Amino acid sequence: MTKVSIFRTVIFLILFVSAPVLWSNPFMGKEDSPAPTAPGTGVSGGTGPFSELQFTFRDGAASYLNRISGAPSFGDIAGFLAVCFLYGILHGAGPGHRKTIVFSIFLARRSPRWYEPAGIGFLSSTLHAGAAVAVIAIYSLIEKGISSLSSTSSASIYLDGITLGVLVFLSFVLILRKIVEMIRGGHSHMEPGRKNLYSLIIIASIIPCPGATMLLLLALYLDLIFFGILGVTAMSLGMGVLVSAVGYLAVAGRTGLFSRLKRNEHRVQLAADLFEFLSYTLIFLFCLIMAWPFFVSIFQNHPSV
Amino acid sequence: MKKSVFILLLILINLGPLTAHPHMKLIPRLDFDFNGKSCEGFWVEWGFDDYFSASIIFDYDRDKNGSFSEEEIQMIHDEAFINLKNYGYFVYLSKGDRKFHPEDVTDFTAWQENKKIFYKFYVSLEGLAMGDNFRVSIFDPSYFCSVEYQNPYMTFNQSQENGPDPGSTLSINKASPVYYDPFSPASDGTIYDKWGPGLQTAYPEEIHIFFD
């Protein structure tokens, strides 16, 4: 492994830590058990014209969905998809949405093929939005199967809990892989392979997109789940365009900066391995601590906020 | 050295994800109760966007009849409202240099109109000596909610016969910033009088109530 691992890990940690911010809805929770405040709320990026424009497209998508629930026309459906696509671009330009990790991957890629930034950008946005579809589907199944849960839960609890649970599992796998690699003394002196890059993208992108989740919840309520999925697909394409553009930007700007760093590769080899191992361990412990109350409450059949 | 600089650059590039941005729109209107020049309290009415509305209706309109029963309203109160107590109900009161959240609110209710939901609750000002000149703002320090006031943003009731009408303005008061700790736990409702390390500053729109 190279120092690229350090950069990937740093970025992964930052992205992970910022992810729960999206789901800390202050309305949800009980008087004696307040909703957890997500770490790293940070400064506000939420005011101003950019945010307002996002709300405009988001509200536009809701209006079209409401019209489609009446007597849908081709224009309504086309308008809905166009608005979702534009909302996806704007939403993707906001905080999160894996731009940084894609940017970093293509800082690390020595000679990517011309289509790779687009491939990884769309893979990331598809997974990010697809995770929302999957989690909503799971949530709906739970709601139908165990109706008593619905009175004491909200979608956000499950979204947070499931995402954290998946990350606990994945970080554990990464720790095991790293230990095996270090025991075998298998340092890779090559740049990270495509398989590793795609794995990293998959890990980082499975956190459900909050915008897509809200769109789907609205569609679900209107009994328009098919159009909800169509809208999320259009939104995902919009986010993919933006994330891919970031990838191409990194490819264009990578060569000079990264080639200098490469000169130190051998000297940082051991440090990179140890840092990567410790980072994965930190991620694992952090996720486990965060997810623990959720899983305890699941096993007790009454998840609490 | 170069590595450190590069990592630092990457961290700086990654500061974007650490910024919070709203995912929900809160649309408030306040209805003040006056007895002469004394404000006894006010009703806070919140409208919500399609998305939060759909989520609440989906979760709590159990019989799907388009309205909330008393039991459903109680569930909304207990599961999708009362946690705001930990945020001072998003209500900031100020009188001169004194700023505070209401300790409690009463008479919570919720209803739906055209697939949109509304919350309403009462903030009593009894014993708070707000006088005839004070300010109220609605602000979510977690930035989960964007606040956009209804038009009109306030109404009032005057219980005193021939009592005076209050004046009001809605504007950002640069002289009255809100300081908040973005990393504090949800149960921390501290109101900071002045800026300190780690605190963020916001300038929410304020409703200024006064009498000529």
Side-chain angles (χ1 to χ4, degrees), chain B residues 17-87:
Chain B
L18 292 176
T19 59
H21 59 306
H23 290 83
M24 175 174 157
K25 193 179 280 185
L26 188 62
I27 310 161
R29 181 169 68 87
L30 274 52
D31 186 22
F32 294 87
D33 286 338
F34 286 97
N35 182 2
K37 287 187 175 181
S38 172
C39 184
E40 297 174 329
F42 56 92
W43 290 94
V44 177
E45 181 184 304
W46 287 341
F48 295 95
D49 60 33
D50 290 286
Y51 296 87
F52 186 69
S53 295
S55 176
I56 292 296
I57 291 169
F58 187 75
D59 281 346
Y60 296 104
D61 188 6
R62 297 294 170 87
D63 51 14
K64 307 296 177 196
N65 68 348
S67 66
F68 295 126
S69 66
E70 289 298 318
E71 188 184 355
E72 289 166 343
I73 290 170
Q74 189 62 45
M75 280 196 293
I76 293 171
H77 174 273
D78 294 346
E79 297 169 16
F81 174 72
I82 197 61
N83 192 48
L84 295 183
K85 183 172 188 173
N86 297 296
Y87 297 84

Side-chain angles (χ1 to χ4, degrees), chain A residues 192-209:
Chain A
R194 191 177 299 138
K195 187 179 170 186
N196 286 342
L197 298 182
Y198 279 67
S199 299
L200 191 68
I201 276 293
I202 289 168
I203 293 167
S205 301
I206 55 173
I207 296 167
C209 172

